[in-house]
Amino acid sequence: MEQKTDLIIIGGGVIGSSIAYHLLNEGYQGDITIFEKDRLYEFASTPRSAGGIRQLFTTDINIQISRYSLKKYKTFPEDMTVDGERAEIDFQQRGYLFLAQKETMKELENQANLQRKYGVPSEILEADELKRIIPEVNSNDLTGGLYCGEDGYLDPYSVMQGYVKKAKELGAHYIYDEIYSIHEEAGRVTGVVTKDGMLYKAPKVINSAGPWAPIISKNSGYPIPVIPLKRQIIQFDAAEPLEKPLPLTVDPSGVYFRHEGDSFISGYSEKVKPGIDFTWKRSFFEETLWPILANRIPNFERAKIISGWAGMYSHNTKDQNAIIGEHPELSGYYMACGFSGHGMQQAPAVGQGLAELIMKGRYETIDLSPLRFERFAMNELVIEGAVV
Ligand SMILES: Cc1cc2nc3c(=O)[nH]c(=O)nc-3n(C[C@H](O)[C@H](O)[C@H](O)COP(=O)(O)OP(=O)(O)OC[C@H]3O[C@@H](n4cnc5c(N)ncnc54)[C@H](O)[C@@H]3O)c2cc1C
């Protein structure tokens, strides 16, 4: 029997499942089939994310995307209710804070001005004001910071499952199989080929396979500038609790930290060789994170590791931003990949945008065209100055 559907999504992580949900929520009438190779999402980027949600970006497009997504995460539990069960995502609007030294303050002020243009309540804080947010912070070497109290963090796994369950309720089919490549005839997508060589037909295919997206695209003859980069996160306890819940805080060194329940998580984008690698090391905490953490928050001096993990950034080597839209050389091939370290907070806007593009041929809510694939050839890169 010929396997046929109207639209295939490769990868059912937060991005693929958000797209499926948004299409169906917008009234898409065709059949949607999502191929997911990892039924338990053991290695997907989404559940391994730090879940940081911020509007503190430096490009118009990323600020607009985040602002829209933040609004959607606020109503997510109700919007994704299935069978009377709310989709709780533990969204803690405890703020997002970039700590800064003298040389970056001017730049942060420029960023805040741009963010405010879009309605983001960004605040520039002086060094002594930082203690209002984190009473224990050592601000001796700091000049201030950029803060947004509306931002915060959430549970990424629950967001993804919220989209999966709602998409299924609305009629999306998940097939737990691995895709090898996209199939085409005469410059048009005709389906996908599974790793066992089976052809599954569809006129439209969306590649949202996260860190594996470039492999599928390359197997199909359409390489994209995305590489997987390992990112470690360590969870730890501090000897003395902090007075207030932490915002997601980024030290000037790039080390970030936040509360995770009563404990803490911390990470840093260290220099690594590209490749899929899920090993994590205690020495990463002891040598890289702890010296920064202990200096910044004295309560972290006596820290005890609880656990750790590694996940993959889908790192866009050109400008560290997502690639969204139809491939200019293959009609019916859509991409939603290369999110680097900020895909969680872009999932609602990207889902909505791709649903509009596919159903109406244009973006209506937010113009996502600055993130089109063609920007690389046209040298219209979207350079984001606040990458974590
Ligand atoms: C350590 C870490 C911290 C992060 N922190 C943040 C943060 O604070 N804020 C933020 O916004 N973002 C953060 N991110 C980034 C964010 O997690 C990702 O951008 C986002 O989860 C990407 O979602 P995705 O659906 O594209 O990818 P994934 O979640 O990886 O989903 C892709 C899915 O595709 C499936 N798949 C792959 N290949 C195939 C195939 N051939 N056939 C079928 N299925 C396939 C995979 O199994 C996977 O489930 C972080 C990432 C990491 C690793």
Side-chain angles (χ1 to χ4, degrees):
M1 201 178 76
E2 191 174 67
Q3 303 280 17
K4 225 171 145 185
T5 185
D6 295 305
L7 186 142
I8 288 173
I9 298 176
I10 312 172
V14 75
I15 297 295
S17 296
S18 167
I19 296 168
Y21 159 73
H22 281 94
L23 276 161
L24 294 164
N25 190 51
E26 287 291 312
Y28 183 75
Q29 292 297 313
D31 275 334
I32 298 181
T33 302
I34 296 133
F35 280 91
E36 172 51 59
K37 68 172 178 167
D38 180 2
R39 183 185 278 267
L40 299 179
Y41 294 102
E42 192 181 351
F43 299 108
S45 299
T46 304
R48 290 166 181 264
S49 153
I53 303 297
R54 66 175 153 115
Q55 301 168 88
L56 303 181
F57 281 95
T58 68
T59 50
D60 299 73
I61 184 69
N62 282 339
I63 297 168
Q64 291 175 79
I65 287 177
S66 281
R67 186 138 182 86
Y68 176 84
S69 294
L70 182 127
K71 198 171 86 193
K72 290 292 162 186
Y73 280 136
K74 279 162 71 173
T75 58
F76 194 93
E78 299 91 69
D79 297 345
M80 298 299 143
T81 295
V82 172
D83 292 337
E85 201 175 318
R86 284 161 54 89
E88 300 299 344
I89 55 170
D90 196 24
F91 185 18
Q92 305 280 353
Q93 287 184 274
R94 294 172 172 175
Y96 208 105
L97 173 64
F98 282 97
L99 299 172
Q101 288 166 333
K102 194 164 171 236
E103 52 282 11
T104 48
M105 280 309 284
K106 184 74 204 134
E107 176 50 33
L108 290 188
E109 278 163 29
N110 294 340
Q111 294 175 11
N113 287 336
L114 181 65
Q115 291 151 6
R116 287 184 199 124
K117 215 178 92 184
Y118 290 99
V120 179
S122 305
E123 293 177 61
I124 290 290
L125 304 178
E126 302 293 326
D128 56 349
E129 290 177 294
L130 293 173
K131 290 201 189 284
R132 167 164 71 83
I133 314 289
I134 310 178
E136 300 82 357
V137 70
N138 166 16
S139 55
N140 289 346
D141 60 332
L142 301 176
T143 306
L146 174 61
Y147 177 68
C148 178
E150 274 186 351
D151 296 352
Y153 38 92
L154 45 64
D155 174 19
Y157 182 79
S158 299
V159 172
M160 184 182 69
Q161 285 299 348
Y163 279 135
V164 171
K165 286 183 187 157
K166 196 69 184 177
K168 283 183 178 173
E169 186 194 55
L170 295 175
H173 306 285
Y174 281 71
I175 296 181
Y176 294 99
D177 200 352
E178 184 170 341
I179 297 306
Y180 175 77
S181 66
I182 295 159
H183 196 263
E184 64 166 294
E185 277 166 30
R188 292 196 71 83
V189 163
T190 46
V192 293
V193 180
T194 68
K195 75 166 189 318
D196 300 323
M198 208 183 88
L199 175 65
Y200 212 107
K201 286 192 167 177
K204 288 186 169 65
V205 172
I206 302 173
N207 183 355
S208 54
W212 297 272
I215 301 172
I216 298 164
S217 212
K218 188 166 169 230
N219 291 347
S220 315
Y222 297 91
I224 53 175
V226 177
I227 52 170
L229 291 181
K230 175 168 104 165
R231 297 289 178 241
Q232 299 181 65
I233 291 186
I234 308 292
Q235 185 175 4
F236 63 97
D237 258 338
E240 301 145 49
L242 302 190
E243 202 179 309
K244 288 176 145 186
L246 283 170
L248 199 154
T249 307
V250 186
D251 185 82
S253 60
V255 168
Y256 65 84
F257 52 93
R258 68 161 171 88
H259 265 101
E260 171 72 23
D262 291 333
S263 64
F264 306 89
I265 60 170
S266 176
Y268 172 67
S269 292
E270 59 187 321
K271 213 169 158 38
V272 290
K273 279 201 218 126
I276 304 277
D277 172 9
F278 292 101
T279 55
W280 69 277
K281 292 212 168 80
R282 298 176 78 87
S283 59
F284 174 64
F285 184 77
E286 287 147 8
E287 291 162 17
T288 305
L289 301 180
W290 181 80
I292 305 286
L293 293 169
N295 169 60
R296 189 58 62 212
I297 311 279
N299 307 48
F300 292 165
E301 261 170 38
R302 285 191 296 137
K304 189 163 164 266
I305 296 177
I306 299 174
S307 71
W309 64 88
M312 291 295 132
Y313 270 18
S314 309
H315 177 85
N316 169 349
T317 57
K318 301 282 185 195
D319 62 13
Q320 302 190 59
N321 275 309
I323 305 171
I324 300 180
E326 194 172 16
H327 197 290
E329 288 156 24
L330 182 57
S331 170
Y333 173 31
Y334 293 83
M335 293 160 287
C337 49
F339 289 88
S340 304
H342 41 271
M344 260 320 300
Q345 57 215 313
Q346 302 203 323
V350 169
Q352 178 66 28
L354 267 183
E356 291 167 358
L357 186 66
I358 285 169
M359 291 170 67
K360 301 171 186 166
R362 63 179 186 278
Y363 296 116
E364 289 185 340
T365 305
I366 300 175
D367 178 11
L368 299 178
S369 62
L371 298 175
R372 67 199 181 283
F373 181 80
E374 294 92 312
R375 75 183 189 268
F376 305 128
M378 296 164 84
N379 204 20
E380 291 176 358
L381 299 182
V382 181
I383 305 291
E384 176 52 59
V387 169
V388 177

